[in-house]
Amino acid sequence: FKDLLQIYPDTEMISQNYRIYKRIQTQEDIDSFKKNGGVLAEKYLKHFVVGEEHVFLYKRGEGVMMSTHQTETMSNQDFINQAYGDVIIFGLGLGMIIFPLLDDKDIKSITIVEHDSGVIDMVGKIIKEHDKGNKVTIIQGDAFQYHEKINPMVRRFDTIYFDIWIKINEEAFAEMEMLHELYRKCMRSNVSYMSSWCYELKDEYINKDVT
């Protein structure tokens, strides 16, 4: 992963629905994550450190959508390891998972579908500045509808990844299953990679909920 602290400006970036800013991580952040993080907190809480500086993407009325904390890099590492060929990603966020792909010779193209135009305006221009190979195409769209615009006879993908959730819970896992089914037709072959952020925690979450 790239150091987004070096990539993003020190000044706050603001759109209608989101803010991007840098600040020092506090004990209050850790306490909030412990209280509200669910299975993510159980898995990654030990990696939180008071005093570290991070970049935050804040969604108005809902909270921190994502940050540069280790929870994000660790929970997206499998995607980085598996991604190849023609890639489509749903959810732009801070572009954290995009930057490592730009210089990867195994990546031919990167299509990003993002619902919020403000995020596209803020983050898209930064990604474009680093896209020396002209691999990236950013499209405003809804993950639950965009499959209707893909003709699998014309375009398929080697890597499909969904990263659109602010929280991981039962509803999120149900949406992951729905999206995986909707986009299965867009996979290039039976060895294409398709997954969602934290999808590997589904069984752990369900088993914990049952018990």
Side-chain angles (χ1 to χ4, degrees):
F1 289 93
K2 305 292 185 180
D3 183 1
L4 298 192
L5 283 169
Q6 302 299 318
I7 292 176
Y8 276 87
D10 292 332
T11 54
E12 184 177 57
M13 304 172 70
I14 302 175
S15 71
Q16 181 177 357
N17 299 314
Y18 288 88
R19 292 191 297 127
I20 298 175
Y21 54 90
K22 297 177 181 179
R23 69 171 173 81
I24 302 297
Q25 190 165 262
T26 65
Q27 184 61 48
E28 287 74 17
D29 293 326
I30 297 176
D31 293 341
S32 177
F33 184 59
K34 183 178 181 179
K35 179 180 179 181
N36 304 309
V39 290
L40 277 176
E42 294 177 12
K43 190 174 182 67
Y44 297 115
L45 184 64
K46 62 183 178 182
H47 298 286
F48 272 72
V49 178
V50 172
E52 286 185 343
E53 185 178 22
H54 291 288
V55 182
F56 292 85
L57 174 66
Y58 181 89
K59 186 175 184 179
R60 298 184 190 279
E62 295 192 38
V64 175
M65 185 75 183
M66 74 170 300
S67 72
T68 55
H69 187 265
Q70 290 91 324
T71 55
E72 302 285 353
T73 56
M74 296 173 71
S75 58
N76 283 293
Q77 187 63 59
D78 186 62
F79 162 76
I80 297 298
N81 294 344
Q82 300 290 340
Y84 75 100
D86 293 309
V87 179
I88 185 167
I89 298 169
F90 294 87
L92 178 55
L94 291 169
M96 173 183 285
I97 63 175
I98 310 301
F99 289 105
L101 306 184
L102 297 179
D103 299 324
D104 188 335
K105 59 181 177 57
D106 292 328
I107 304 298
K108 296 179 180 178
S109 69
I110 307 167
T111 301
I112 306 164
V113 181
E114 166 58 45
H115 187 266
D116 189 271
S117 61
V119 172
I120 294 175
D121 290 340
M122 291 189 296
V123 180
K125 64 182 180 182
I126 295 177
I127 289 177
K128 285 296 186 180
E129 290 173 359
H130 291 78
D131 181 22
K132 306 306 181 185
N134 198 30
K135 295 181 180 182
V136 175
T137 300
I138 302 176
I139 299 166
Q140 184 177 7
D142 188 312
F144 297 94
Q145 300 173 359
Y146 189 74
H147 66 98
E148 298 172 355
K149 298 183 179 182
I150 301 176
N151 181 350
M153 299 298 293
V154 177
R155 188 83 192 275
R156 294 193 183 196
F157 298 90
D158 302 293
T159 306
I160 303 174
Y161 193 62
F162 305 94
D163 186 10
I164 62 174
W165 298 276
I166 192 169
K167 293 181 179 179
I168 296 299
N169 52 29
E170 185 175 353
E171 180 181 359
F173 286 122
E175 290 179 346
M176 292 178 198
E177 294 290 358
M178 181 189 306
L179 289 168
H180 290 186
E181 187 60 34
L182 287 174
Y183 286 88
R184 201 170 305 280
K185 65 181 181 181
C186 301
M187 298 171 69
R188 176 158 287 145
S189 70
N190 59 2
V191 297
S192 296
Y193 173 83
M194 179 167 64
S195 191
S196 295
W197 177 58
C198 291
Y199 182 70
E200 73 279 1
L201 298 179
K202 178 184 175 184
D203 290 342
E204 181 178 344
Y205 178 89
I206 292 175
N207 291 336
K208 183 178 185 300
D209 193 53
V210 169
T211 56

